[in-house]
């Protein structure tokens, strides 16, 4: 354990550099640069809000906040896990040359996406303020889903990055899986409006929805979090981290033979 | 008493050569059902044992496919040996395919920090040595240009400058002395010679017997993953010359 911490300390600077690189390069050649972290969620929110309020004739004033809370969490989960999955292969040249603890690569992929995600929360604050949400104590609960989603993405990312080294098809399969997760996360519709006894299990099973639901409780509905989904999300998040870490450590010496 | 800085003990490295490379799920499942998933074993290294004291410079000779590069990768810690152990003391700097780890969209200056971090340097250290690296690489104003616009020589020069700015205990060289133009080659050879004078331990792979004789004082000869000769560089070189006739 002590060795692990020392090792981490030694490579902390590398982790910082890799995170910095991801963020810097993401927007490097665009005119508006970092502003896109805010503009992109804002624009998609406007599109979704227009489409779906038009479609359903919804008059809910806070509907944009509803969309944004779901979409921001989903986008981070989707981008983070995708980047982590590809991280071993995209850093293959380096892995073959210099010894570096390999978990650094998926970890930095998740962290750089998390930082972009945290920055994009500014949009949520701004839209919420404009639409009349006022700060209160319930909102402090938001820190729980915001932390859990980092843990969950890291766990899922570790599992995916290990598997993707051996089965490249996973990159496509995960794209499809993410689409299913998106539709099962109730990003732009209310669960109550589509839920039937026959399909409610999809939402109950989706750990990402468990987080989105509690995030909405904190920000939008200003109520206490839903405890069963909270427990489910905690178990799932830490479970995937444990499974992912074990898988990764068991297979990491074989990575180099497959990239 | 000179102290041992590198000890390679009965190292073996096994690769699985599948007749066809299976890297997608569909094929894997089909082959598993048809029980066609067999692997051919191949030992790139077997029972390799040697140790180096501080300041010793080992040349590794052998024909293509003898396991030279695999041995370097095992020592560098990139490959984990299937059996046996490698014990090293102090900092290892691998000079393998210089500049391979650069990010092409990043500028030279940014890559100094990134590549330095990969090699385990601290931020303070890189800051302190930054000017020295830029000066040695002779890149001048190009340092702020993305690396994708560099020539291969410029890339290698920058890689060499970053990797050699530390004083390592163990230096791993894989025919990198042929970097850049004649002028830079002289400069880099001088830099490596300076390191020799400071007592660095060297592992050097080259096909040029001349170079090995010039740089090393010990040698081993590998064939099919086994050491078939070791000792004085002159003697081993003679055996190698016999083999290649």
């Amino acid at each position: 354990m002590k060795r692990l911490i020392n090792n981490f300390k030694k490579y902390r600077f590398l982790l910082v550099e890799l995170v910095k690189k991801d963020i810097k390069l993401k927007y490097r050649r665009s005119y508006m640069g970092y502003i896109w972290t805010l503009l992109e969620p804002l624009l998609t929110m406007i599109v979704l809000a227009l489409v779906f309020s038009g479609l359903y004739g919804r008059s809910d004033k806070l509907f944009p906040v509803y969309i944004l809370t779901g979409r921001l969490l989903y986008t981070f989960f989707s981008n983070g896990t995708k980047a982590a999955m590809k991280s071993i292969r995209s850093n293959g040249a380096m892995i073959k040359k210099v010894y570096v603890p390999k978990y650094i690569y998926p970890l930095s992929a998740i962290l750089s996406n998390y930082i972009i995600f945290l920055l994009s929360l500014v949009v949520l604050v701004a839209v919420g303020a404009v639409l009349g949400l006022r700060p209160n104590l319930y909102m402090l609960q938001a820190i729980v889903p915001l932390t859990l989603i980092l843990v969950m993405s890291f766990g899922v990312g570790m599992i995916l990055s290990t598997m993707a080294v051996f089965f490249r098809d996973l990159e496509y399969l995960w794209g499809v899986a993410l689409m299913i997760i998106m539709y099962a996360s109730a990003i732009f519709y209310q669960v109550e409006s589509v839920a039937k006894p026959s399909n409610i299990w999809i939402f109950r099973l989706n750990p990402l929805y468990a987080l989105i639901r509690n995030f909405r409780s904190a920000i939008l509905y200003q109520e206490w979090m839903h405890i069963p989904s909270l427990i489910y999300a905690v178990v799932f998040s830490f479970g995937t981290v444990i499974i992912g870490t074990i898988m990764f450590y068991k297979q990491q010496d074989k990575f180099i033979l497959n990239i | 008493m000179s102290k041992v800085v590198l000890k390679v003990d009965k190292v073996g490295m096994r690769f699985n050569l599948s007749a066809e490379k299976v890297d997608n799920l569909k094929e894997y499942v089909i082959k598993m059902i048809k029980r066609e998933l067999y692997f051919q074993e191949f030992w790139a290294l077997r029972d390799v044992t040697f140790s180096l004291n501080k300041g010793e410079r080992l040349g590794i000779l052998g024909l293509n496919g003898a396991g030279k590069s695999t041995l370097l990768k095992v020592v560098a810690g990139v490959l984990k040996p299937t059996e046996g152990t490698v014990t090293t003391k102090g900092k290892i700097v691998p000079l393998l395919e210089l500049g391979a780890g650069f990010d092409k969209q990043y500028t030279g200056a940014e890559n100094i920090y990134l590549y330095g971090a990969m090699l385990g340097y601290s931020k303070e250290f890189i800051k302190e040595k930054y000017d020295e690296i830029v000066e040695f690489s002779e890149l001048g104003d190009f340092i702020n240009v993305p690396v994708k616009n560099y020539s291969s020589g410029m890339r290698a020069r920058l890689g060499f400058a970053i990797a050699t700015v530390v004083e390592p205990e163990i230096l791993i060289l894989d025919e990198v002395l042929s970097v850049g133009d004649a002028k830079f080659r002289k400069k880099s050879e001088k830099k490596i010679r300076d390191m020799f004078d400071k007592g660095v331990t060297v592992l050097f792979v080259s096909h040029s017997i001349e170079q090995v004789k010039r740089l090393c004082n010990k040698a081993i000869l590998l064939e099919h993953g086994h050491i078939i000769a070791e000792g004085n560089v002159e003697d081993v070189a003679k055996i190698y010359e016999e083999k290649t006739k």
Side-chain angles (χ1 to χ4, degrees):
Chain A
M1 192 65 198
K2 203 175 159 215
R3 226 188 74 224
L4 204 75
I5 293 170
N6 279 340
N7 195 288
F8 180 74
K9 265 190 198 152
K10 186 176 167 202
Y11 285 99
R12 199 173 43 189
F13 172 49
L14 174 61
L15 184 63
V16 173
E17 279 297 315
L18 286 171
V19 170
K20 238 185 347 198
K21 182 188 89 172
D22 278 356
I23 297 174
K24 266 180 166 177
L25 290 182
K26 184 161 186 193
Y27 299 106
R28 172 153 287 180
R29 296 190 60 114
S30 57
Y31 285 105
M32 287 194 273
Y34 295 111
I35 295 176
W36 275 116
T37 48
L38 306 179
L39 213 51
E40 206 231 329
L42 189 66
L43 292 176
T44 41
M45 177 207 76
I46 291 172
V47 172
L48 288 173
L50 287 177
V51 169
F52 285 93
S53 58
L55 216 62
Y56 295 125
R58 201 189 292 275
S59 54
D60 183 3
K61 194 178 68 149
L62 284 172
F63 189 52
V65 176
Y66 183 87
I67 292 177
L68 214 44
T69 44
R71 209 202 85 95
L72 286 172
L73 289 186
Y74 171 78
T75 309
F76 162 62
F77 180 76
S78 154
N79 289 346
T81 51
K82 266 193 278 185
M85 177 171 64
K86 290 177 185 158
S87 64
I88 297 295
R89 196 152 64 86
S90 56
N91 287 296
M94 223 43 233
I95 291 174
K96 284 182 188 169
K97 298 294 169 318
V98 188
Y99 169 76
V100 164
K102 291 177 199 55
Y103 68 86
I104 291 263
Y105 297 113
L107 181 61
S108 71
I110 295 283
L111 284 180
S112 55
N113 275 294
Y114 192 63
I115 289 172
I116 290 173
F117 162 67
L118 290 183
L119 288 174
S120 63
L121 286 179
V122 172
V123 177
L124 181 63
V125 174
V127 170
V130 168
L131 295 179
L133 278 182
R134 293 288 163 257
N136 61 59
L137 280 176
Y138 287 107
M139 285 185 184
L140 286 179
Q141 295 179 100
I143 199 147
V144 176
L146 288 181
T147 314
L148 281 177
I149 196 159
L150 176 63
V151 178
M152 185 190 290
S153 305
F154 178 63
V156 175
M158 287 289 268
I159 294 174
L160 290 172
S161 66
T162 309
M163 288 170 66
V165 174
F166 302 101
F167 299 112
R168 209 147 286 173
D169 309 46
L170 193 64
E171 293 181 11
Y172 305 98
L173 285 172
W174 185 241
V176 178
L178 277 173
M179 200 166 76
I180 299 172
I181 293 171
M182 181 183 86
Y183 284 109
S185 292
I187 294 172
F188 33 72
Y189 56 81
Q190 235 95 21
V191 174
E192 297 77 52
S193 64
V194 294
K196 281 179 253 148
S198 60
N199 64 14
I200 190 82
W201 59 271
I202 298 176
F203 299 103
R204 293 224 175 103
L205 220 61
N206 180 1
L208 189 63
Y209 178 65
L211 289 180
I212 291 176
R213 173 180 190 171
N214 279 330
F215 192 53
R216 281 177 180 150
S217 294
I219 301 291
L220 186 60
Y221 302 128
Q222 292 158 22
E223 60 188 18
W224 292 113
M225 289 191 285
H226 184 244
I227 297 302
S229 21
L230 180 67
I231 293 171
Y232 178 54
V234 169
V235 171
F236 186 88
S237 303
F238 288 94
T240 49
V241 167
I242 292 166
I243 293 170
T245 310
I246 292 172
M247 275 174 74
F248 195 86
Y249 272 81
K250 282 209 162 149
Q251 300 296 328
Q252 63 174 351
D253 294 328
K254 291 187 204 149
F255 286 178
I256 188 169
L257 308 173
N258 286 280
I259 41 180
Chain B
M1 250 328 259
S2 49
K3 66 173 209 265
V4 176
V5 288
L6 170 67
K7 200 164 151 29
V8 175
D9 192 26
K10 289 194 183 128
V11 161
M13 186 73 221
R14 186 185 62 209
F15 292 106
N16 289 327
L17 298 176
S18 42
E20 296 156 70
K21 196 167 163 45
V22 184
D23 63 355
N24 67 64
L25 196 58
K26 189 188 90 190
E27 256 180 66
Y28 189 87
V29 172
I30 291 173
K31 296 219 163 182
M32 198 154 69
I33 293 166
K34 289 165 122 182
R35 294 184 184 281
E36 273 178 14
L37 257 193
Y38 58 92
F39 293 112
Q40 217 179 327
E41 282 187 359
F42 167 71
W43 288 87
L45 289 176
R46 197 81 207 251
D47 215 8
V48 172
T49 302
F50 63 88
S51 69
L52 287 179
N53 294 328
K54 187 170 163 44
E56 282 187 317
R57 303 188 294 275
L58 180 79
I60 301 170
L61 293 165
L63 301 172
N64 281 335
K68 304 182 298 285
S69 297
T70 308
L71 180 58
L72 289 193
K73 282 183 178 169
V74 169
V75 173
V78 174
L79 274 177
K80 194 175 179 206
T82 317
E83 54 178 42
T85 51
V86 175
T87 328
T88 55
K89 275 198 196 108
K91 182 149 191 57
I92 304 182
V93 166
L95 291 182
L96 311 167
E97 284 178 59
L98 291 165
F102 288 158
D103 191 290
K104 291 200 169 62
Q105 295 187 62
Y106 243 25
T107 67
E110 287 165 324
N111 266 306
I112 291 178
Y113 282 90
L114 181 66
Y115 197 58
M118 296 255 180
L119 294 172
Y121 304 171
S122 70
K123 191 174 187 174
E124 295 71 35
F125 180 81
I126 301 175
K127 258 190 196 149
E128 193 190 310
K129 297 280 184 178
Y130 179 84
D131 291 331
E132 193 183 312
I133 294 171
V134 176
E135 201 192 300
F136 192 88
S137 66
E138 298 174 5
L139 282 170
D141 291 338
F142 280 101
I143 202 72
N144 291 316
V145 170
V147 165
K148 65 180 170 195
N149 298 333
Y150 281 21
S151 71
S152 57
M154 288 160 90
R155 223 174 279 174
R157 260 150 50 196
L158 185 60
F160 184 89
I162 298 170
T164 55
V165 75
V166 280
E167 281 168 18
E169 261 76 45
I170 301 171
L171 189 64
I172 296 180
L173 299 171
D174 191 355
E175 302 193 86
V176 281
L177 295 177
S178 44
V179 157
D181 53 21
K183 193 170 139 249
F184 191 80
R185 199 147 60 214
K186 256 185 217 153
K187 196 166 140 186
S188 57
E189 239 192 270
K190 187 181 169 298
K191 177 115 187 182
I192 287 177
R193 286 202 170 277
D194 286 348
M195 286 186 176
F196 287 2
D197 295 339
K198 282 176 191 149
V200 69
T201 307
V202 180
L203 282 179
F204 179 49
V205 163
S206 173
H207 285 290
S208 149
I209 298 183
E210 281 314 304
Q211 244 184 351
V212 171
K213 276 186 187 164
R214 205 146 38 95
L215 291 171
C216 304
N217 49 21
K218 264 179 101 173
I220 57 174
L221 178 55
L222 285 176
E223 194 178 80
H224 302 306
H226 295 270
I227 297 184
I228 55 168
E230 61 177 309
N232 188 298
V233 68
E234 297 288 335
D235 303 339
V236 177
K238 223 172 264 168
I239 300 171
Y240 181 61
E241 271 165 351
E242 288 293 319
K243 288 253 171 212
T244 48
K245 256 175 202 160

